[in-house]
Amino acid sequence: MIDQTLDSALEAGIRPLVTGTPWRALIGKISRVPFWGLLLLTAGCASTTLFQSNFDSTPINQPPAHAQAVGTATVEGSVLVAALPDTPSVRGVRFDPISTPNSPTALHCDLLQHPADGTYVFSTLLFLPSKSGGIVTISFDRAPAIVSPVTKSKVAFSGGQQFMHLDFLSDSVRIDDDASTTFGKFPRDQVFIVQVTLNINASPSADIVLSGAGASGQAHRNLSSGLLPNALQFGAVRIWTVLTADNQTFYAANIVATRKQ
């Protein structure tokens, strides 16, 4: 069974784990978030970090280093370290428009370990300019994340590796290409937070929260049991765009994935 419901973030017990010195530069922006959004920024129970981005040591306009603070990163297409447009003190990565039709621009975030079932929390900051178009996708993949050879369409590029993905449309989010799951809202030209809590077990599910300046929305998703083998081998998160229509530049920063103890 696959379904989606909207729940309060506090009822779901979801707390984004956006960490690191650059995050403190955004405190002024986050202060505009409603009180419940502030609560989401507090860490919950003990956790193990499986991926954490660190772009500070890489020069601007260079691809991110393979070795990150925790875990590794690999890129396809033009993915370069850059300052966030509205927060120059925060470094992230800039995804440039695809260079050839149906070729991906992707950042593969490979987890340090693949401990199978458990509760995982992924969070990132996104910045989508208003002059951009198309779809930005965050996929949750089995390990290894990279699909070879480079494929020619979104469906083929998934390569049977993913067990869930989020599409960021013009101002809302769609889950697994299912129009009935579209939820929430997010602003263009402002940083906002995306958090996904994955419950990987015999009945896998996901809780998704959008927060930050102008962003809001929560959704619950029961994952297809047919994708359980992929979910049990969760080992990577992919931020990407691939179609010719996805002719846009966008930014991601403070990418973190943890596993609750």
Side-chain angles (χ1 to χ4, degrees):
M1 177 180 178
I2 301 175
D3 64 16
Q4 178 213 28
T5 59
L6 296 180
D7 300 301
S8 76
L10 295 180
E11 289 173 345
I14 299 171
R15 296 177 173 86
L17 300 175
V18 183
T19 61
T21 300
W23 175 249
R24 290 195 289 269
L26 294 173
I27 293 298
K29 296 178 181 296
I30 299 303
S31 66
R32 298 197 297 266
V33 182
F35 178 71
W36 68 265
L38 289 174
L39 291 179
L40 296 181
L41 298 175
T42 62
C45 60
S47 61
T48 299
T49 301
L50 301 177
F51 182 90
Q52 184 172 342
S53 60
N54 179 10
F55 305 119
D56 289 343
S57 60
T58 301
I60 296 291
N61 290 326
Q62 294 297 313
H66 180 64
Q68 291 293 299
V70 180
T72 59
T74 308
V75 304
E76 294 186 68
S78 180
V79 181
L80 304 173
V81 172
L84 298 189
D86 71 337
T87 315
S89 60
V90 177
R91 280 194 185 186
V93 284
R94 184 185 73 241
F95 297 74
D96 292 328
I98 59 177
S99 57
T100 58
N102 297 323
S103 295
T105 296
L107 174 69
H108 302 271
C109 304
D110 294 317
L111 306 188
L112 182 65
Q113 304 170 10
H114 315 132
D117 60 344
T119 299
Y120 299 82
V121 181
F122 165 83
S123 61
T124 188
L125 307 179
L126 290 182
F127 181 98
L128 280 61
S130 59
K131 295 182 179 179
S132 295
I135 297 172
V136 172
T137 299
I138 298 179
S139 299
F140 298 87
D141 300 347
R142 63 185 295 173
I146 297 177
V147 179
S148 181
V150 175
T151 56
K152 300 300 182 182
S153 72
K154 182 177 180 180
V155 173
F157 182 60
S158 70
Q161 301 292 309
Q162 65 180 322
F163 56 90
M164 187 186 76
H165 72 272
L166 308 176
D167 286 330
F168 292 79
L169 310 175
S170 60
D171 62 357
S172 59
V173 179
R174 180 182 64 200
I175 307 172
D176 292 337
D177 296 325
D178 182 350
S180 69
T181 68
T182 303
F183 76 98
K185 64 177 182 177
F186 61 83
R188 295 274 172 165
D189 299 322
Q190 294 186 68
V191 171
F192 65 96
I193 306 167
V194 180
Q195 179 184 281
V196 179
T197 299
L198 297 169
N199 301 299
I200 306 298
N201 50 44
S203 301
S205 65
D207 291 285
I208 305 129
V209 174
L210 306 179
S211 61
S216 64
Q218 305 89 44
H220 177 81
R221 179 75 164 173
N222 290 330
L223 305 182
S224 168
S225 59
L227 295 176
L228 181 58
N230 280 357
L232 288 174
Q233 297 183 59
F234 174 47
V237 180
R238 178 167 25 118
I239 305 174
W240 59 293
T241 186
V242 67
L243 300 179
T244 305
D246 299 338
N247 184 24
Q248 65 175 310
T249 297
F250 66 97
Y251 300 78
N254 289 88
I255 305 166
V256 179
T258 65
R259 183 177 187 269
K260 291 185 178 180
Q261 302 284 30

